[in-house]
Amino acid sequence: MALSGRTVERLSVYRRLLVMQGQSGEESVYSHQLAEMVSGTAAQVRRDLMEVGVTGHSKRGYRVANLIEGISKVLDDPAGTRIVLVGAGDLGRAALGFIKGRNAALRIVGAFDNDPSKIGRVIHGYRCASIDELERVIAAEQVEVAIITTPAGVAQPVCDRLVAAGVRGIVNFAPTPLQVPEGVWVERVDIATALEKVTCLTRSV
Amino acid sequence: MALSGRTVERLSVYRRLLVMQGQSGEESVYSHQLAEMVSGTAAQVRRDLMEVGVTGHSKRGYRVANLIEGISKVLDDPAGTRIVLVGAGDLGRAALGFIKGRNAALRIVGAFDNDPSKIGRVIHGYRCASIDELERVIAAEQVEVAIITTPAGVAQPVCDRLVAAGVRGIVNFAPTPLQVPEGVWVERVDIATALEKVTCLTRSV
DNA sequence: GGTCTGCTGTGAACGATATCACAGGTATAC
DNA sequence: GTATACCTGTGATATCGTTCACAGCAGACC
Ligand SMILES: NC(=O)c1ccc[n+]([C@@H]2O[C@H](COP(=O)([O-])OP(=O)(O)OC[C@H]3O[C@@H](n4cnc5c(N)ncnc54)[C@H](O)[C@@H]3O)[C@@H](O)[C@H]2O)c1
Ligand SMILES: NC(=O)c1ccc[n+]([C@@H]2O[C@H](COP(=O)([O-])OP(=O)(O)OC[C@H]3O[C@@H](n4cnc5c(N)ncnc54)[C@H](O)[C@@H]3O)[C@@H](O)[C@H]2O)c1
């Protein structure tokens, strides 16, 4: 199945909205309702849902439980994804707090730093370990995904270690593009760029 | 000038890399060098640079100082962009620390929270003010851009207040799509989605 | 039962983005 | 001075993503 990155992003958002909607008791949604929530078009929503294989009903729309299950089957690894975080600074702390308990399929199995004053501290329930433990934990827990929240200067060497240790996917918060070999997926979260984009594009609307 | 969002993102990255490169003494770069740094193609880089109007030299490539100036002319508001941040929690703190002193054209003029224990505190050099001051500061400083780092539940009402007060661009960290009227630009920074995207797409590489 | 309404599923048209490929130019080597 | 190598700028082309438009279907209403 060759799902495009764009589609995966939207599916993630749909699911989040649907989980809320499910809590509020609604049993089904129409494509145009989902579209309105994300400021998109109904056709786009239907096409995305088509790709995950869930199917709706001519008059009653899509069953919420059905959608959540179908999307989860595509987005989540059934075995769960084990994740490490490197760089337990301000942003690392925020990320740990955010992920905690959000999606059961995503499990943080280690947080690492090289600052002796951070090592041993417990942050949002996760004990910060020494960066020296990195390779051992990745191997022991079969970690596939890593989050980099170190300063920009060390992001590339940290990335290289992660990849060498077997990590296949990286979420990079450092404001530096990372060089990785074929077969490793990097997702940038670039806050500086987001800000500059807004300041630039706001002026031309 | 109708610069596409994609192009603006890349320009932002080029500039950041060029500023570093400038510090290391290099006077000029070739399109293929920039391309390699961002794992892109040389043709893409040249096209982006063409759009900002800077021009290179057949044999010497592009002059770094020239590029930085040209890109800045497009990305930055010459009058500077005044920014407020709402929600001085973990992520708000990280964002304030990150933006501080990064780009002179971006100036934080206020950080707001509704938690009495946060109000009055100084975070990374910015004093946290009461959310009651929001409209006053936006009007007084002619704020155009806002950063939302509140919990998801209040992101929409906060957004509505910002827009009503005159804000035209928003960087939204809350995991909720925001509804805004025509003429307001929203840039999502969705960490949950980034993680889910990586876990999903890593498995299909 | 027949008609009317309004939703889904999807081929086809469209629009946006990225890549190709090459003409034009300039330094360098000989 | 001529040949060579290698870079930029850009029209043409290919790829990718979104929207259109409509057939098909299911319930509601008479
Ligand atoms: N704060 C933000 O909103 C924000 C936004 C965008 C990008 N970033 C980037 O995210 C990164 C972290 O930001 P922050 O605000 O948390 O900074 P920070 O300085 O608070 O945190 C960085 C942490 O990384 C640790 N570290 C340094 N070298 C290390 C190494 N070799 N191995 C392991 N750990 C190491 C440091 O000890 C520190 O704890 C930076 O690259 C920053 O530019 C931050
Ligand atoms: N931490 C992350 O990495 C991360 C990632 C993605 C998204 N987010 C989102 O960013 C937001 C903030 O995350 P956080 O970890 O900083 O949470 P947090 O609870 O530490 O911070 C939220 C802050 O917002 C303030 N606040 C609440 N209601 C407010 C109101 N009406 N007006 C003004 N301020 C108000 C709270 O007092 C608190 O200080 C959340 O929506 C979270 O889901 C966080």
Side-chain angles (χ1 to χ4, degrees):
Chain A
M1 182 166 320
L3 234 32
S4 89
R6 276 314 200 358
T7 300
V8 171
E9 285 178 12
R10 285 188 298 263
L11 288 173
S12 163
V13 174
Y14 298 153
R15 179 170 63 174
R16 209 177 311 152
L17 290 167
L18 288 165
V19 169
M20 292 186 207
Q21 168 124 1
Q23 285 167 354
S24 74
E26 291 295 335
E27 281 218 327
S28 58
V29 276
Y30 300 123
S31 57
H32 64 84
Q33 293 178 309
L34 267 174
E36 201 192 344
M37 293 189 231
V38 302
S39 305
T41 70
Q44 176 81 83
V45 171
R46 290 202 299 276
R47 201 161 269 283
D48 288 336
L49 297 181
M50 198 180 83
E51 292 211 60
V52 317
V54 295
T55 176
H57 183 288
S58 300
K59 206 63 198 275
R60 279 186 240 120
Y62 299 85
R63 199 149 292 273
V64 172
N66 208 348
L67 281 185
I68 293 175
E69 189 197 333
I71 294 175
S72 297
K73 200 173 292 179
V74 172
L75 292 189
D76 297 336
D77 186 332
T81 303
R82 291 155 301 283
I83 303 171
V84 293
L85 179 143
V86 184
D90 276 344
L91 186 59
R93 160 193 304 279
L96 289 172
F98 176 67
I99 297 163
K100 194 183 169 68
R102 181 160 293 265
N103 178 341
L106 306 180
R107 198 158 58 85
I108 303 274
V109 298
F112 302 89
D113 207 295
N114 71 343
D115 179 347
S117 76
K118 296 257 168 61
I119 297 168
R121 284 245 192 100
V122 174
I123 301 172
H124 287 299
Y126 303 100
R127 201 184 65 84
C128 179
S130 163
I131 188 75
D132 299 337
E133 308 273 330
L134 187 64
E135 283 80 3
R136 194 183 57 71
V137 172
I138 290 174
E141 301 270 3
Q142 297 185 307
V143 170
E144 284 180 332
V145 169
I147 302 171
I148 295 180
T149 49
T150 64
V154 297
Q156 184 65 57
V158 163
C159 169
D160 295 341
R161 279 180 70 171
L162 289 165
V163 170
V167 164
R168 308 289 310 278
I170 291 173
V171 181
N172 177 33
F173 284 89
T176 316
L178 294 177
Q179 313 270 352
V180 293
E182 194 70 18
V184 177
W185 186 280
V186 178
E187 188 67 25
R188 290 190 320 131
V189 180
D190 194 329
I191 297 167
T193 290
L195 256 177
E196 289 171 355
K197 198 171 161 192
V198 166
T199 63
C200 174
L201 295 177
T202 293
R203 283 178 299 137
S204 61
V205 173
Chain B
M1 183 165 320
L3 235 30
S4 90
R6 274 320 199 354
T7 301
V8 171
E9 285 177 12
R10 285 189 299 263
L11 289 173
S12 163
V13 174
Y14 299 153
R15 179 170 63 174
R16 208 176 312 151
L17 290 167
L18 288 165
V19 168
M20 291 185 209
Q21 168 125 1
Q23 286 168 353
S24 74
E26 291 295 333
E27 280 218 328
S28 57
V29 275
Y30 299 122
S31 58
H32 64 83
Q33 293 178 312
L34 267 174
E36 201 193 344
M37 293 190 232
V38 302
S39 304
T41 69
Q44 176 81 82
V45 171
R46 290 202 299 277
R47 204 162 268 284
D48 288 336
L49 297 181
M50 198 181 82
E51 292 210 60
V52 318
V54 295
T55 176
H57 182 288
S58 299
K59 205 60 198 277
R60 279 186 241 121
Y62 299 84
R63 199 149 291 272
V64 172
N66 207 348
L67 279 186
I68 294 176
E69 189 196 333
I71 295 176
S72 297
K73 200 173 290 179
V74 170
L75 293 189
D76 297 335
D77 187 332
T81 304
R82 289 155 303 283
I83 303 171
V84 293
L85 180 144
V86 185
D90 276 343
L91 186 58
R93 160 193 303 280
L96 289 173
F98 176 67
I99 297 162
K100 192 183 169 68
R102 182 160 292 266
N103 177 342
L106 306 181
R107 198 157 58 84
I108 304 273
V109 298
F112 302 88
D113 207 295
N114 71 343
D115 179 347
S117 76
K118 295 257 168 60
I119 296 167
R121 284 247 192 99
V122 174
I123 301 172
H124 286 299
Y126 302 100
R127 202 184 64 84
C128 179
S130 162
I131 188 75
D132 299 337
E133 308 273 329
L134 186 64
E135 283 80 3
R136 193 183 57 71
V137 171
I138 290 174
E141 302 269 3
Q142 297 185 307
V143 171
E144 285 179 332
V145 169
I147 301 170
I148 295 181
T149 48
T150 64
V154 298
Q156 184 65 57
V158 163
C159 169
D160 294 341
R161 279 180 70 170
L162 289 166
V163 170
V167 165
R168 307 289 308 282
I170 290 173
V171 180
N172 178 32
F173 285 88
T176 317
L178 295 176
Q179 314 269 353
V180 293
E182 193 72 18
V184 177
W185 185 279
V186 177
E187 188 66 25
R188 290 188 320 129
V189 179
D190 194 328
I191 296 167
T193 291
L195 256 178
E196 288 171 356
K197 198 172 162 191
V198 166
T199 64
C200 173
L201 295 177
T202 292
R203 282 178 300 135
S204 61
V205 173

